[in-house]
Amino acid sequence: VYCLLGEACALGGKDKKALEYFESGLSEAKARQNLPTEEYCAFLTIASDTAKKLGSYSKATEYLSEHALIVGETIDFADILMKAAQLYLLQDRYDDAVTMLDKSAEIYGEFYGHGSDKYIDTIYEACAALKKGGVELVPIDTGAFEGVPLLPTKLEGVMCVCPDEWYEGFFVA
């Protein structure tokens, strides 16, 4: 019941009250194990989004972490890691964000391929997080890679090599 009240409050813009209800409801549901897994995960997602709105990033990350443990290494897992990376970026925790993005990219590469938009966008985000974290991206001399198929890039200092039997993916130098 508390989770439903939390969801209603979140929809009504009463985020602080919603978070209180989610906390109570999720604790109760975990103790009783009386909610179907899909419903429980949906409430974890809404609770995380609500905590993020309130600036309670550690609580939002906690909810995402629990959700990730439930779903295992799937596309949903990669999507959850992407959300966690965004929370870490909001806290200037760039190394943690890059770790989440790296694992997401690995999963997206396995499921969609290394040339997919999901994979490439995640690599760009990881490079941007590295740059925000103070890593200096020095442009690579692309002349050394003449004839190697390159993917378009948006970040200076990043070269994306189209994955093939010789190259895994991107280079940051």
Side-chain angles (χ1 to χ4, degrees), residues 7-125:
E7 185 176 21
C9 286
L11 290 172
K14 298 177 182 174
D15 295 328
K16 202 169 198 168
K17 192 67 178 165
L19 203 53
E20 291 173 21
Y21 281 130
F22 279 126
E23 190 66 29
S24 298
L26 291 168
S27 294
E28 184 179 313
K30 186 189 256 182
R32 292 185 184 184
Q33 297 183 354
N34 63 349
L35 265 183
T37 302
E38 285 182 20
E39 249 181 90
Y40 187 72
C41 287
F43 286 133
L44 286 168
T45 299
I46 298 167
S48 177
D49 292 344
T50 304
K52 179 182 174 185
K53 280 185 205 173
L54 292 172
S56 183
Y57 303 128
S58 59
K59 187 51 102 174
T61 305
E62 180 184 320
Y63 290 134
L64 286 178
S65 297
E66 187 172 349
H67 189 176
L69 289 172
I70 293 169
V71 300
E73 285 200 27
T74 62
I75 291 297
D76 289 339
F77 182 73
D79 293 340
I80 291 167
L81 294 177
M82 291 293 290
K83 284 184 171 185
Q86 295 309 313
L87 291 168
Y88 287 135
L89 288 171
L90 290 170
Q91 299 172 75
D92 297 332
R93 293 175 58 185
Y94 302 110
D95 289 342
D96 292 327
V98 170
T99 301
M100 299 295 109
L101 292 164
D102 184 47
K103 185 62 178 175
S104 294
E106 180 184 316
I107 294 168
Y108 288 145
E110 289 172 16
F111 277 88
Y112 297 123
H114 292 96
S116 69
D117 287 343
K118 279 275 205 186
Y119 176 79
I120 293 167
D121 289 345
T122 305
I123 295 301
Y124 285 143
E125 287 195 40

Side-chain angles (χ1 to χ4, degrees), residues 148-166:
V148 175
L150 301 177
L151 299 171
T153 62
K154 299 175 188 174
L155 293 172
E156 186 179 328
V158 176
M159 183 176 76
C160 286
V161 175
C162 189
D164 63 11
E165 67 273 3
W166 294 97

